[in-house]
Amino acid sequence: QVQMVESGGGLVQPGGSVQLSCKASGSILNINSMGWYRQAPGNERELVAVMTRSGSTHYASSAKGRFAISGDNAKGTVYLQMNSLKPEDTAVYYCNAVIRDGDGAGDHDSWGQGTRVTVSS
């Protein structure tokens, strides 16, 4: 139905920056929101930032002031600009879309395969 592909991860020094990109394809007209999650070794997957179709955004406290989400949900695109990176930001980052079901009564999630960000000297 909806396929997600993210990219942009890699090795970055502490204090550096990186931008992650995600593109959704398929039934993108049914996307209600898109966002970014991350999962570090030994941790649960956690929300980093989310953006609704109207452009409203929300950030995890750890991301506020350092990260910025942007894109166009109607086009199935979302980006995450990550600045002032810290070693604790090291994780696999996943793109997410919340997709309205065909019957209009519910929704479901679609996920990308993940892109790894490693913050280290």
Side-chain angles (χ1 to χ4, degrees), residues 2-5 22-25 28-29 31 34 53 71-79 95 97:
V2 174
Q3 296 77 47
M4 314 289 293
V5 179
C22 178
K23 178 69 174 70
S25 61
I28 61 174
L29 265 57
I31 294 176
M34 299 185 73
R53 181 177 290 269
D72 188 342
N73 289 349
K75 297 180 179 179
T77 59
V78 66
Y79 306 92
C95 183

Side-chain angles (χ1 to χ4, degrees), residues 22-104:
C22 178
K23 178 69 174 70
S25 61
S27 301
I28 61 174
L29 265 57
N30 295 325
I31 294 176
N32 288 333
S33 66
M34 299 185 73
W36 292 92
Y37 290 69
R38 68 185 181 187
Q39 186 168 19
N43 293 338
E44 299 294 327
R45 189 174 299 186
E46 63 179 1
L47 174 69
V48 178
V50 64
M51 180 178 67
T52 69
R53 181 177 290 269
S54 67
S56 178
T57 60
H58 178 265
Y59 296 89
S61 59
S62 60
K64 287 184 177 180
R66 299 190 299 127
F67 297 177
I69 189 170
S70 63
D72 188 342
N73 289 349
K75 297 180 179 179
T77 59
V78 66
Y79 306 92
L80 184 68
Q81 179 65 45
M82 305 169 64
N83 302 317
S84 302
L85 286 164
K86 305 174 181 178
E88 52 263 42
D89 295 318
T90 296
V92 176
Y93 286 73
Y94 297 90
C95 183
N96 165 263
V98 177
I99 303 161
R100 186 174 65 253
D101 291 335
D103 60 8

